[in-house]
Amino acid sequence: MEEMLMKVNFYATLRPIVGQKTVELTLSHGTTAIQLVHMFVEGYPAMRKELLDEQGNFLPHMKFFINGREAVYLPEKFETIIQPADKVDIFPPVGGG
């Protein structure tokens, strides 16, 4: 199966955990958003508690964007297949006041 290099951008409190703004992952074509998250936490185990619940689902308060659209609002949600040209951003909720 053909592979693609995917850049995933992290923000705020997640950035110190990975040690950089952008992490590159090698994905197989057909990889879904949730599969990408699981691959990522394998490489960065400290991210598991930040991104996933006990059942392995993406935490509802965290934000996962594909091309500027939050995954929970996409028709396939976290089963959306990641394309080579997609821009993926993951960040915690932004507080303000």
Coordinates of all heavy atoms in Angstrom, one line a residue:
M1 N 0.8 -1.2 0.0 CA 0.0 0.0 0.0 C 0.9 1.2 0.0 O 1.9 1.3 0.7 CB -0.9 0.0 1.2 CG -2.0 1.0 1.2 SD -3.2 0.8 2.5 CE -4.7 0.5 1.6
E2 N 0.5 2.2 -0.8 CA 1.3 3.4 -0.9 C 1.2 4.2 0.4 O 0.2 4.2 1.1 CB 0.7 4.3 -2.0 CG 1.7 5.3 -2.5 CD 1.1 6.1 -3.7 OE1 0.4 5.4 -4.6 OE2 1.4 7.2 -3.9
E3 N 2.3 4.9 0.7 CA 2.3 5.7 2.0 C 2.5 7.2 1.6 O 2.9 7.5 0.5 CB 3.5 5.3 2.8 CG 3.3 3.9 3.4 CD 4.4 3.5 4.3 OE1 5.6 3.9 4.2 OE2 4.1 2.7 5.3
M4 N 2.1 8.0 2.6 CA 2.2 9.4 2.4 C 2.7 10.1 3.7 O 2.5 9.5 4.8 CB 0.8 10.0 2.1 CG -0.3 9.8 3.1 SD -1.9 10.4 2.5 CE -2.9 9.9 3.9
L5 N 3.4 11.2 3.5 CA 3.9 11.9 4.7 C 2.9 13.0 5.1 O 2.5 13.7 4.2 CB 5.3 12.5 4.3 CG 6.1 13.0 5.5 CD1 6.5 11.9 6.5 CD2 7.4 13.7 5.0
M6 N 2.5 12.9 6.3 CA 1.5 13.8 6.8 C 2.1 14.7 7.9 O 2.8 14.2 8.8 CB 0.4 13.0 7.4 CG -0.8 13.7 7.8 SD -1.8 14.0 6.4 CE -2.2 15.7 6.7
K7 N 1.9 16.0 7.8 CA 2.3 17.0 8.8 C 1.1 17.3 9.7 O 0.0 17.6 9.3 CB 2.8 18.2 8.2 CG 4.2 18.0 7.5 CD 4.7 19.3 7.0 CE 6.1 19.0 6.5 NZ 6.6 20.1 5.7
V8 N 1.3 17.1 11.0 CA 0.3 17.4 12.0 C 0.8 18.5 12.9 O 1.9 18.5 13.4 CB 0.0 16.2 12.9 CG1 -1.2 16.5 13.9 CG2 -0.4 15.0 12.0
N9 N 0.0 19.6 13.0 CA 0.4 20.8 13.8 C -0.3 20.7 15.2 O -1.4 20.4 15.3 CB -0.1 22.1 13.1 CG 0.6 22.2 11.7 OD1 1.8 22.1 11.6 ND2 -0.2 22.4 10.7
F10 N 0.5 21.0 16.2 CA 0.1 21.1 17.6 C 0.2 22.5 18.1 O 1.1 23.2 17.8 CB 0.9 20.1 18.4 CG 0.6 18.6 18.1 CD1 1.3 18.0 17.1 CD2 -0.5 18.0 18.7 CE1 1.0 16.7 16.7 CE2 -0.8 16.7 18.3 CZ 0.0 16.0 17.4
Y11 N -0.7 22.8 19.1 CA -0.8 24.1 19.6 C -0.8 24.1 21.1 O -1.2 23.1 21.7 CB -2.0 24.9 19.0 CG -1.9 25.0 17.5 CD1 -2.4 24.0 16.7 CD2 -1.2 26.1 17.0 CE1 -2.3 24.1 15.3 CE2 -1.1 26.2 15.6 CZ -1.7 25.2 14.8 OH -1.6 25.3 13.4
A12 N -0.5 25.3 21.7 CA -0.7 25.6 23.1 C 0.0 24.5 24.0 O 1.1 24.2 23.8 CB -2.2 25.7 23.5
T13 N -0.8 23.9 25.0 CA -0.2 23.0 25.9 C 0.2 21.7 25.3 O 1.0 20.9 26.0 CB -1.3 22.7 27.1 OG1 -2.5 22.2 26.4 CG2 -1.6 23.9 27.9
L14 N -0.2 21.4 24.1 CA 0.2 20.1 23.5 C 1.6 20.2 22.9 O 2.4 19.2 22.8 CB -0.7 19.7 22.4 CG -2.2 19.5 22.8 CD1 -3.0 19.1 21.6 CD2 -2.3 18.5 23.9
R15 N 2.0 21.4 22.6 CA 3.3 21.6 21.9 C 4.5 21.2 22.7 O 5.4 20.5 22.2 CB 3.5 23.1 21.4 CG 4.5 23.2 20.3 CD 4.5 24.6 19.8 NE 3.4 24.8 18.8 CZ 3.1 25.9 18.2 NH1 3.8 27.0 18.6 NH2 2.2 26.0 17.4
P16 N 4.6 21.5 24.0 CA 5.7 21.1 24.9 C 5.8 19.5 25.0 O 6.9 19.0 25.1 CB 5.5 21.7 26.2 CG 4.5 22.8 26.0 CD 3.7 22.4 24.8
I17 N 4.7 18.9 24.9 CA 4.7 17.4 25.0 C 5.4 16.8 23.8 O 6.2 15.8 24.0 CB 3.2 16.8 25.2 CG1 2.6 17.4 26.4 CG2 3.2 15.3 25.2 CD1 1.1 17.1 26.6
V18 N 5.1 17.3 22.6 CA 5.8 16.7 21.4 C 7.1 17.4 21.2 O 7.9 16.9 20.4 CB 4.8 16.8 20.2 CG1 3.6 16.0 20.4 CG2 4.5 18.2 19.8
G19 N 7.3 18.6 21.8 CA 8.6 19.2 21.7 C 8.8 20.1 20.4 O 9.9 20.6 20.1
Q20 N 7.7 20.2 19.6 CA 7.8 21.0 18.4 C 6.4 21.3 17.9 O 5.4 20.8 18.4 CB 8.6 20.2 17.3 CG 8.0 18.9 17.0 CD 9.0 17.9 16.3 OE1 10.1 18.3 16.0 NE2 8.6 16.7 16.1
K21 N 6.3 22.3 17.0 CA 5.0 22.7 16.5 C 4.4 21.6 15.5 O 3.2 21.3 15.6 CB 5.1 24.0 15.7 CG 3.8 24.4 15.1 CD 3.9 25.6 14.2 CE 2.6 25.9 13.5 NZ 2.6 27.0 12.7
T22 N 5.3 21.1 14.7 CA 4.8 20.2 13.6 C 5.5 18.8 13.7 O 6.7 18.8 13.9 CB 5.1 20.8 12.2 OG1 4.4 22.1 12.2 CG2 4.5 19.9 11.1
V23 N 4.7 17.8 13.7 CA 5.2 16.4 13.7 C 4.8 15.8 12.4 O 3.7 15.9 11.9 CB 4.6 15.6 14.9 CG1 5.0 14.2 14.8 CG2 5.0 16.3 16.2
E24 N 5.8 15.0 11.8 CA 5.5 14.3 10.6 C 5.2 12.9 10.8 O 6.0 12.2 11.6 CB 6.7 14.5 9.6 CG 6.8 15.9 9.1 CD 7.9 16.0 8.0 OE1 8.6 15.0 7.7 OE2 7.9 17.1 7.3
L25 N 4.2 12.3 10.3 CA 3.8 10.9 10.4 C 3.8 10.3 9.0 O 3.3 11.0 8.1 CB 2.5 10.8 11.0 CG 2.3 11.1 12.5 CD1 0.8 11.0 12.9 CD2 3.1 10.1 13.3
T26 N 4.1 9.1 8.9 CA 4.0 8.4 7.6 C 2.7 7.5 7.7 O 2.5 6.7 8.6 CB 5.2 7.4 7.4 OG1 6.3 8.2 7.3 CG2 5.0 6.7 6.0
L27 N 1.7 7.8 6.9 CA 0.4 7.2 6.9 C 0.2 6.3 5.6 O 0.7 6.7 4.6 CB -0.7 8.2 7.0 CG -0.7 9.2 8.1 CD1 -1.9 10.1 7.9 CD2 -0.7 8.6 9.4
S28 N -0.5 5.3 5.8 CA -1.0 4.5 4.6 C -2.2 5.2 4.0 O -3.0 5.9 4.8 CB -1.4 3.1 5.0 OG -0.3 2.4 5.5
H29 N -2.3 5.2 2.7 CA -3.5 5.7 2.1 C -4.8 5.0 2.7 O -4.7 3.8 2.9 CB -3.5 5.6 0.6 CG -2.7 6.7 -0.1 ND1 -3.1 7.9 -0.2 CD2 -1.4 6.6 -0.5 CE1 -2.1 8.6 -0.8 NE2 -1.1 7.8 -1.0
G30 N -5.8 5.8 3.0 CA -7.0 5.2 3.6 C -7.0 5.3 5.1 O -8.0 4.9 5.7
T31 N -6.0 6.0 5.7 CA -5.9 6.2 7.1 C -7.0 7.2 7.5 O -7.2 8.2 6.9 CB -4.6 6.7 7.6 OG1 -3.6 5.7 7.2 CG2 -4.5 6.9 9.1
T32 N -7.8 6.8 8.6 CA -8.8 7.7 9.1 C -8.3 8.7 10.1 O -7.2 8.5 10.7 CB -10.0 6.9 9.7 OG1 -9.5 6.2 10.8 CG2 -10.6 6.0 8.7
A33 N -9.0 9.7 10.5 CA -8.6 10.7 11.5 C -8.3 10.0 12.8 O -7.3 10.3 13.4 CB -9.7 11.7 11.6
I34 N -9.2 9.1 13.2 CA -9.0 8.5 14.6 C -7.8 7.5 14.5 O -7.0 7.4 15.5 CB -10.3 7.7 15.1 CG1 -10.1 7.4 16.6 CG2 -10.6 6.5 14.3 CD1 -10.0 8.6 17.5
Q35 N -7.5 6.9 13.4 CA -6.3 6.0 13.2 C -5.1 6.9 13.3 O -4.1 6.5 13.9 CB -6.4 5.3 11.9 CG -7.4 4.1 11.9 CD -7.5 3.5 10.5 OE1 -7.4 4.2 9.5 NE2 -7.8 2.2 10.5
L36 N -5.1 8.1 12.7 CA -4.0 9.0 12.8 C -3.7 9.3 14.3 O -2.6 9.3 14.7 CB -4.3 10.3 12.0 CG -3.2 11.3 12.0 CD1 -3.3 12.1 10.7 CD2 -3.2 12.3 13.2
V37 N -4.7 9.6 15.1 CA -4.6 9.9 16.5 C -3.9 8.8 17.2 O -3.0 8.9 18.0 CB -5.9 10.4 17.1 CG1 -5.7 10.5 18.6 CG2 -6.5 11.6 16.5
H38 N -4.4 7.6 17.0 CA -3.9 6.4 17.6 C -2.4 6.1 17.3 O -1.6 5.8 18.1 CB -4.7 5.1 17.3 CG -6.0 5.1 18.2 ND1 -6.0 4.5 19.4 CD2 -7.2 5.6 17.9 CE1 -7.3 4.7 19.9 NE2 -8.0 5.3 19.0
M39 N -2.1 6.3 16.0 CA -0.7 6.2 15.6 C 0.2 7.2 16.3 O 1.3 6.9 16.7 CB -0.5 6.4 14.1 CG -1.0 5.3 13.2 SD -0.9 5.7 11.5 CE 0.8 5.9 11.3
F40 N -0.4 8.4 16.4 CA 0.4 9.5 17.1 C 0.7 9.2 18.6 O 1.8 9.3 19.0 CB -0.4 10.8 17.0 CG 0.4 11.9 17.5 CD1 1.5 12.4 16.8 CD2 0.2 12.4 18.8 CE1 2.3 13.4 17.3 CE2 1.0 13.4 19.3 CZ 2.1 13.9 18.6
V41 N -0.3 8.7 19.3 CA -0.1 8.4 20.7 C 0.8 7.2 20.9 O 1.4 7.1 22.0 CB -1.4 8.2 21.5 CG1 -2.2 9.5 21.5 CG2 -2.2 7.1 21.1
E42 N 0.9 6.3 19.9 CA 1.9 5.3 20.0 C 3.3 5.9 20.1 O 4.2 5.4 20.8 CB 1.8 4.3 18.8 CG 0.6 3.3 18.9 CD 0.5 2.5 17.7 OE1 1.5 2.2 17.0 OE2 -0.6 2.0 17.4
G43 N 3.6 6.9 19.3 CA 4.9 7.5 19.2 C 5.1 8.5 20.4 O 6.2 8.7 20.8
Y44 N 4.0 9.0 20.9 CA 4.1 10.0 22.0 C 3.1 9.6 23.1 O 2.0 10.1 23.2 CB 3.7 11.4 21.5 CG 4.7 12.0 20.6 CD1 4.6 11.7 19.2 CD2 5.8 12.7 21.0 CE1 5.5 12.2 18.3 CE2 6.7 13.3 20.1 CZ 6.5 13.0 18.7 OH 7.4 13.5 17.8
P45 N 3.5 8.5 23.9 CA 2.5 8.0 24.9 C 2.0 9.0 25.9 O 0.9 8.9 26.3 CB 3.4 6.9 25.6 CG 4.5 6.6 24.7 CD 4.8 7.8 23.9
A46 N 2.7 10.1 26.1 CA 2.2 11.1 27.1 C 1.0 11.8 26.5 O 0.2 12.4 27.3 CB 3.3 12.1 27.4
M47 N 0.8 11.7 25.2 CA -0.4 12.4 24.6 C -1.7 11.6 24.8 O -2.7 12.2 24.6 CB -0.1 12.6 23.1 CG 0.9 13.6 22.8 SD 0.4 15.3 23.3 CE -0.3 15.8 21.8
R48 N -1.6 10.4 25.1 CA -2.8 9.5 25.3 C -3.8 10.2 26.2 O -4.9 10.4 25.8 CB -2.4 8.1 25.7 CG -3.7 7.3 26.0 CD -3.4 5.8 26.3 NE -3.0 5.1 25.1 CZ -3.9 4.7 24.2 NH1 -5.1 4.8 24.3 NH2 -3.4 4.0 23.1
K49 N -3.4 10.6 27.4 CA -4.3 11.2 28.4 C -4.8 12.6 27.9 O -5.8 13.0 28.3 CB -3.7 11.3 29.7 CG -2.5 12.2 29.9 CD -2.0 12.2 31.3 CE -0.8 13.1 31.5 NZ -0.7 14.4 30.9
E50 N -4.0 13.2 27.0 CA -4.4 14.5 26.5 C -5.5 14.4 25.4 O -6.3 15.3 25.2 CB -3.2 15.3 25.9 CG -2.1 15.4 26.9 CD -2.4 16.4 28.0 OE1 -3.2 17.3 27.8 OE2 -1.8 16.3 29.1
L51 N -5.4 13.3 24.6 CA -6.2 13.2 23.4 C -7.3 12.1 23.5 O -8.3 12.3 22.8 CB -5.3 12.9 22.2 CG -4.3 13.9 21.9 CD1 -3.5 13.5 20.7 CD2 -4.9 15.3 21.7
L52 N -7.1 11.1 24.2 CA -8.1 9.9 24.2 C -8.7 9.6 25.5 O -8.0 9.7 26.6 CB -7.3 8.7 23.7 CG -6.7 8.8 22.3 CD1 -5.9 7.5 22.0 CD2 -7.8 8.9 21.2
D53 N -9.9 9.1 25.5 CA -10.6 8.6 26.7 C -10.2 7.1 26.9 O -9.4 6.6 26.1 CB -12.1 8.8 26.7 CG -12.8 8.0 25.6 OD1 -12.2 7.0 25.1 OD2 -14.0 8.3 25.3
E54 N -10.8 6.5 27.9 CA -10.4 5.2 28.3 C -10.8 4.2 27.1 O -10.2 3.1 27.0 CB -11.2 4.7 29.5 CG -10.8 5.5 30.8 CD -9.4 5.2 31.2 OE1 -8.9 4.1 31.2 OE2 -8.7 6.2 31.6
Q55 N -11.8 4.5 26.3 CA -12.2 3.6 25.2 C -11.4 3.9 24.0 O -11.7 3.3 22.9 CB -13.7 3.8 25.0 CG -14.6 3.2 26.1 CD -14.7 4.1 27.3 OE1 -14.7 5.3 27.2 NE2 -14.6 3.5 28.5
G56 N -10.5 4.9 24.0 CA -9.7 5.2 22.8 C -10.4 6.1 21.9 O -10.0 6.3 20.7
N57 N -11.5 6.8 22.4 CA -12.1 7.8 21.6 C -11.5 9.2 21.8 O -11.0 9.5 22.9 CB -13.6 7.9 22.0 CG -14.4 6.6 21.7 OD1 -14.3 6.1 20.6 ND2 -15.1 6.1 22.7
F58 N -11.5 10.0 20.8 CA -10.9 11.4 20.9 C -11.8 12.2 21.9 O -13.0 12.2 21.8 CB -11.0 12.1 19.5 CG -10.1 13.3 19.4 CD1 -8.7 13.2 19.3 CD2 -10.7 14.5 19.5 CE1 -7.9 14.3 19.2 CE2 -9.8 15.7 19.4 CZ -8.5 15.5 19.3
L59 N -11.1 12.8 22.8 CA -11.8 13.6 23.9 C -12.6 14.7 23.3 O -12.1 15.5 22.4 CB -10.8 14.1 24.9 CG -10.1 13.1 25.7 CD1 -8.9 13.7 26.5 CD2 -11.1 12.4 26.7
P60 N -13.9 14.8 23.7 CA -14.7 15.8 23.1 C -14.3 17.3 23.3 O -14.7 18.1 22.5 CB -16.1 15.6 23.8 CG -15.8 14.7 25.0 CD -14.5 14.0 24.7
H61 N -13.6 17.6 24.3 CA -13.2 19.0 24.5 C -11.9 19.4 23.7 O -11.6 20.5 23.6 CB -12.9 19.3 26.0 CG -11.8 18.6 26.6 ND1 -11.9 17.3 27.1 CD2 -10.5 18.9 26.8 CE1 -10.7 16.9 27.5 NE2 -9.8 17.8 27.3
M62 N -11.2 18.4 23.2 CA -10.1 18.7 22.3 C -10.5 19.0 20.9 O -11.6 18.6 20.5 CB -9.1 17.5 22.3 CG -8.5 17.1 23.7 SD -7.6 18.5 24.4 CE -6.1 18.4 23.5
K63 N -9.7 19.7 20.2 CA -10.1 20.1 18.8 C -9.2 19.4 17.8 O -7.9 19.4 17.9 CB -9.9 21.6 18.7 CG -10.7 22.4 19.7 CD -12.2 22.2 19.6 CE -13.0 22.9 20.6 NZ -14.4 22.4 20.7
F64 N -9.8 18.8 16.8 CA -9.1 18.1 15.7 C -9.7 18.7 14.4 O -10.8 18.5 14.1 CB -9.3 16.6 15.8 CG -8.5 15.8 14.8 CD1 -7.4 15.1 15.2 CD2 -8.9 15.8 13.4 CE1 -6.7 14.3 14.2 CE2 -8.2 15.1 12.5 CZ -7.1 14.3 12.9
F65 N -8.8 19.4 13.7 CA -9.3 20.1 12.5 C -8.6 19.5 11.3 O -7.4 19.2 11.3 CB -8.9 21.6 12.5 CG -9.8 22.4 13.3 CD1 -9.7 22.4 14.7 CD2 -10.8 23.2 12.8 CE1 -10.6 23.2 15.5 CE2 -11.7 24.0 13.5 CZ -11.6 24.0 14.9
I66 N -9.4 19.3 10.2 CA -8.9 18.9 8.9 C -9.2 20.0 7.9 O -10.4 20.3 7.7 CB -9.6 17.5 8.4 CG1 -9.3 16.4 9.5 CG2 -9.0 17.1 7.1 CD1 -10.1 15.2 9.2
N67 N -8.2 20.6 7.4 CA -8.4 21.7 6.4 C -9.3 22.8 7.0 O -10.1 23.4 6.3 CB -9.0 21.2 5.1 CG -8.0 20.2 4.4 OD1 -6.8 20.4 4.5 ND2 -8.6 19.2 3.8
G68 N -9.0 23.1 8.3 CA -9.8 24.2 8.9 C -11.2 23.9 9.4 O -11.9 24.7 9.9
R69 N -11.6 22.6 9.2 CA -12.9 22.2 9.7 C -12.8 21.2 10.8 O -12.1 20.2 10.7 CB -13.7 21.6 8.5 CG -14.0 22.7 7.4 CD -15.0 22.2 6.4 NE -16.3 21.9 7.0 CZ -17.2 21.0 6.5 NH1 -16.9 20.4 5.4 NH2 -18.3 20.8 7.1
E70 N -13.6 21.4 11.9 CA -13.5 20.5 13.0 C -14.1 19.2 12.6 O -15.1 19.1 12.0 CB -14.2 21.1 14.2 CG -13.9 20.4 15.5 CD -14.4 21.1 16.7 OE1 -14.9 22.2 16.7 OE2 -14.3 20.5 17.8
A71 N -13.3 18.1 12.9 CA -13.7 16.7 12.5 C -15.1 16.3 13.0 O -15.8 15.7 12.2 CB -12.7 15.7 13.0
V72 N -15.5 16.8 14.2 CA -16.8 16.4 14.6 C -18.0 16.9 13.8 O -19.1 16.4 13.8 CB -17.1 16.8 16.1 CG1 -16.2 16.0 17.1 CG2 -17.0 18.3 16.3
Y73 N -17.7 17.9 12.9 CA -18.7 18.5 12.0 C -18.6 17.9 10.6 O -19.5 18.3 9.8 CB -18.6 20.0 12.0 CG -18.9 20.6 13.4 CD1 -17.9 21.3 14.1 CD2 -20.1 20.4 14.1 CE1 -18.1 21.8 15.4 CE2 -20.3 20.9 15.3 CZ -19.3 21.6 16.0 OH -19.6 22.1 17.2
L74 N -17.6 17.1 10.3 CA -17.5 16.5 9.0 C -18.5 15.4 8.9 O -18.8 14.7 9.9 CB -16.1 16.1 8.8 CG -15.0 17.2 8.7 CD1 -13.6 16.5 8.7 CD2 -15.2 18.1 7.6
P75 N -19.0 15.1 7.7 CA -20.0 14.0 7.5 C -19.5 12.7 8.1 O -20.3 11.9 8.7 CB -20.1 13.9 6.0 CG -19.7 15.2 5.5 CD -18.7 15.7 6.4
E76 N -18.2 12.3 8.0 CA -17.7 11.0 8.5 C -17.1 11.2 9.8 O -16.5 10.2 10.4 CB -16.7 10.5 7.5 CG -17.3 10.2 6.1 CD -18.3 9.1 6.0 OE1 -18.2 8.1 6.7 OE2 -19.3 9.3 5.3
K77 N -17.1 12.4 10.4 CA -16.5 12.7 11.7 C -15.0 12.1 11.8 O -14.2 12.4 10.9 CB -17.3 12.2 12.8 CG -18.7 12.9 12.8 CD -19.5 12.5 14.0 CE -20.8 13.2 14.2 NZ -21.5 13.8 13.1
F78 N -14.7 11.3 12.8 CA -13.4 10.7 12.9 C -13.1 9.5 12.0 O -12.0 9.0 12.0 CB -13.1 10.4 14.4 CG -12.7 11.6 15.2 CD1 -13.7 12.4 15.8 CD2 -11.4 12.1 15.2 CE1 -13.4 13.5 16.5 CE2 -11.1 13.3 15.8 CZ -12.0 14.0 16.5
E79 N -14.1 9.1 11.2 CA -13.8 8.1 10.2 C -13.4 8.7 8.9 O -13.3 8.1 7.9 CB -15.1 7.2 10.0 CG -15.4 6.4 11.3 CD -14.2 5.5 11.8 OE1 -13.6 4.9 11.0 OE2 -14.0 5.5 13.0
T80 N -13.3 10.1 8.8 CA -12.9 10.8 7.6 C -11.5 10.3 7.2 O -10.6 10.2 8.1 CB -12.8 12.3 7.9 OG1 -14.1 12.7 8.3 CG2 -12.3 13.1 6.7
I81 N -11.3 10.0 6.0 CA -10.0 9.5 5.5 C -9.1 10.7 5.2 O -9.6 11.7 4.6 CB -10.2 8.6 4.2 CG1 -10.9 7.3 4.6 CG2 -8.9 8.4 3.5 CD1 -11.3 6.4 3.4
I82 N -7.9 10.6 5.8 CA -7.0 11.7 5.6 C -6.4 11.6 4.2 O -5.9 10.6 3.8 CB -5.9 11.6 6.7 CG1 -6.5 11.6 8.1 CG2 -4.8 12.7 6.5 CD1 -7.1 12.9 8.5
Q83 N -6.3 12.8 3.5 CA -5.8 12.8 2.2 C -4.4 13.5 2.2 O -4.1 14.2 3.2 CB -6.7 13.7 1.2 CG -8.1 13.2 1.1 CD -8.2 11.8 0.5 OE1 -7.4 11.4 -0.3 NE2 -9.2 11.0 1.0
P84 N -3.5 13.2 1.3 CA -2.1 13.7 1.3 C -2.0 15.2 1.5 O -1.1 15.7 2.1 CB -1.5 13.2 0.0 CG -2.3 12.0 -0.4 CD -3.7 12.3 0.1
A85 N -2.9 15.9 0.8 CA -2.8 17.4 0.9 C -3.5 18.0 2.1 O -3.5 19.2 2.2 CB -3.4 18.0 -0.4
D86 N -4.2 17.2 2.9 CA -4.9 17.7 4.1 C -4.0 18.4 5.1 O -2.8 18.0 5.3 CB -5.7 16.6 4.8 CG -6.9 16.2 4.0 OD1 -7.3 16.8 3.1 OD2 -7.5 15.1 4.4
K87 N -4.5 19.5 5.7 CA -3.8 20.1 6.8 C -4.5 19.7 8.1 O -5.7 19.9 8.2 CB -3.9 21.7 6.6 CG -3.3 22.5 7.7 CD -3.3 24.0 7.3 CE -2.6 24.8 8.3 NZ -3.3 25.0 9.6
V88 N -3.8 19.1 9.0 CA -4.3 18.6 10.2 C -3.8 19.5 11.4 O -2.6 19.7 11.5 CB -4.0 17.1 10.5 CG1 -4.5 16.7 11.8 CG2 -4.6 16.3 9.4
D89 N -4.7 20.0 12.2 CA -4.3 20.7 13.4 C -5.0 20.2 14.6 O -6.2 19.8 14.6 CB -4.8 22.2 13.3 CG -4.1 22.9 12.1 OD1 -2.9 23.1 12.1 OD2 -4.8 23.1 11.1
I90 N -4.3 20.0 15.7 CA -4.8 19.5 17.0 C -4.5 20.5 18.1 O -3.3 20.8 18.3 CB -4.2 18.1 17.3 CG1 -4.5 17.1 16.2 CG2 -4.8 17.6 18.6 CD1 -3.9 15.7 16.3
F91 N -5.5 20.9 18.8 CA -5.2 21.8 20.0 C -6.3 21.7 21.0 O -7.4 21.2 20.8 CB -5.0 23.2 19.5 CG -6.1 23.8 18.6 CD1 -7.2 24.4 19.1 CD2 -5.9 23.6 17.2 CE1 -8.1 25.0 18.2 CE2 -6.9 24.2 16.4 CZ -8.0 24.8 16.8
P92 N -5.9 22.1 22.3 CA -6.8 22.0 23.4 C -7.8 23.2 23.3 O -7.6 24.1 22.5 CB -5.8 22.2 24.6 CG -4.7 23.0 24.0 CD -4.5 22.6 22.6
P93 N -8.8 23.1 24.1 CA -9.8 24.2 24.0 C -9.1 25.5 24.5 O -8.2 25.5 25.3 CB -10.9 23.8 25.1 CG -10.2 22.8 25.9 CD -9.2 22.1 25.1
V94 N -9.5 26.6 23.8 CA -8.9 27.9 24.1 C -9.7 28.6 25.2 O -10.9 28.9 24.9 CB -8.7 28.7 22.9 CG1 -8.1 30.1 23.2 CG2 -7.9 28.0 21.8
G95 N -9.1 28.9 26.3 CA -9.8 29.7 27.3 C -9.6 31.2 27.1 O -8.6 31.6 26.5
G96 N -10.5 31.9 27.6 CA -10.4 33.4 27.5 C -11.3 34.1 28.5 O -12.0 33.4 29.2
G97 N -11.2 35.4 28.5 CA -12.0 36.1 29.4 C -11.8 37.6 29.3 O -11.0 38.0 28.5

